[in-house]
């Protein structure tokens, strides 16, 4: 069933950051999410950025979020891990460790290797961090529709542009399977 999107709480341009932007989640959930992600209530920690974030009402009346990562080129789906911070940046190193622990928490919570979930800070970081964030928000009581959106047909993107919906699906599924099992895509995860 379709979600009802409340456009009053949407970030239509730029990138949304849930631990900073007002109106998406309560301050209590922001604080819990920040402590889980960066190990403290330090608002300077890195978090996933979203191309679009909007509040939504689920068919059963629960309020939640729609989080979108948009892509127009196959090369935007990176298998790279999170960059290691410099040794002379202890706060960034602690954030790096905490983010790794948070992603591991989500990996285990989603069934881990037994379920084919291989989320990691050190590979497929962008996908891993977004799935982990969505999982934690759901654990905190905020349901999330995590959407990977492919913009197809933009030849201006050069070689690797997404030619069609089937090409996008093929590219995304090939990328995602390194971290997340195909049978867990396009379904509710509790």
């Amino acid at each position: 069933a379709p979600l009802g999107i409340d456009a009053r709480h949407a970030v239509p341009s730029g990138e949304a950051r849930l631990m900073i932007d007002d109106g998406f989640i309560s301050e209590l959930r922001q604080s819990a999410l920040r402590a889980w992600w960066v190990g403290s209530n330090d608002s300077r920690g890195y978090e996933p950025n979203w191309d679009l974030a909007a509040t939504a009402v689920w068919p059963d009346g629960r309020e939640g979020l729609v989080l979108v990562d948009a892509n127009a080129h196959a090369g935007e789906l990176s298998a790279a891990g999170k960059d290691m911070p410099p040794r002379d940046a202890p706060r960034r190193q602690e954030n790096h460790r905490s983010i790794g622990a948070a992603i591991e928490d989500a990996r285990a919570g989603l069934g881990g290797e037994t379920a084919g979930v291989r989320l990691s800070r050190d590979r497929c970081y962008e996908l891993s961090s977004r799935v982990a964030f969505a999982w934690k928000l759901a654990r905190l009581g905020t349901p999330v529709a995590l959407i990977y959106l492919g913009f197809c047909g933009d030849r201006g993107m050069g070689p690797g542009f997404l030619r069609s919906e089937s090409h996008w699906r093929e590219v995304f599924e090939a990328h995602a399977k390194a971290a997340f099992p195909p049978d867990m895509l396009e379904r509710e995860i509790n």
Side-chain angles (χ1 to χ4, degrees):
L3 299 174
I5 296 177
D6 180 350
R8 293 173 297 164
H9 291 99
V11 175
S13 61
E15 291 188 326
R17 294 183 61 203
L18 300 179
M19 294 191 303
I20 294 173
D21 293 339
D22 292 334
F24 290 110
I25 57 176
S26 70
E27 287 183 26
L28 185 62
R29 285 190 178 136
Q30 281 181 340
S31 181
L33 191 60
R34 189 177 299 112
W36 172 77
W37 191 249
V38 293
S40 71
N41 214 6
D42 180 359
S43 63
R44 293 175 289 180
Y46 296 99
E47 66 174 286
N49 294 322
W50 308 96
D51 294 308
L52 174 72
T55 57
V57 178
W58 263 235
D60 64 5
R62 292 178 299 155
E63 292 186 10
L65 294 172
V66 176
L67 302 175
V68 179
D69 185 70
N71 301 271
H73 190 280
E76 292 181 85
L77 299 172
S78 173
K82 184 177 185 319
D83 291 338
M84 182 65 128
R87 290 186 177 196
D88 63 349
R91 177 177 277 157
R92 288 182 55 205
Q93 287 184 348
E94 179 55 36
N95 286 348
H96 189 77
R97 284 188 291 275
S98 183
I99 289 168
I103 291 173
E104 173 58 26
D105 184 37
R107 186 190 71 76
L110 289 164
E113 192 64 41
T114 302
V117 178
R118 294 176 295 280
L119 302 178
S120 172
R121 176 199 62 204
D122 301 323
R123 67 178 181 287
C124 292
Y125 173 70
E126 284 198 14
L127 175 65
S128 294
S129 65
R130 283 155 176 75
V131 170
F133 232 69
W135 173 84
K136 183 62 173 183
L137 281 165
R139 287 285 182 215
L140 292 172
T142 302
V144 175
L146 176 58
I147 299 172
Y148 269 78
L149 182 63
F151 288 99
C152 302
D154 185 354
R155 295 179 186 279
M157 294 299 291
F161 77 95
L162 302 173
R163 297 184 305 273
S164 64
E165 180 184 346
S166 61
H167 179 233
W168 163 242
R169 187 173 291 277
E170 176 185 317
V171 166
F172 180 75
E173 288 176 1
H175 170 70
K177 73 180 181 183
F180 205 66
D183 65 331
M184 290 179 85
L185 297 174
E186 297 189 37
R187 71 176 185 89
E188 185 170 334
I189 298 172
N190 297 316

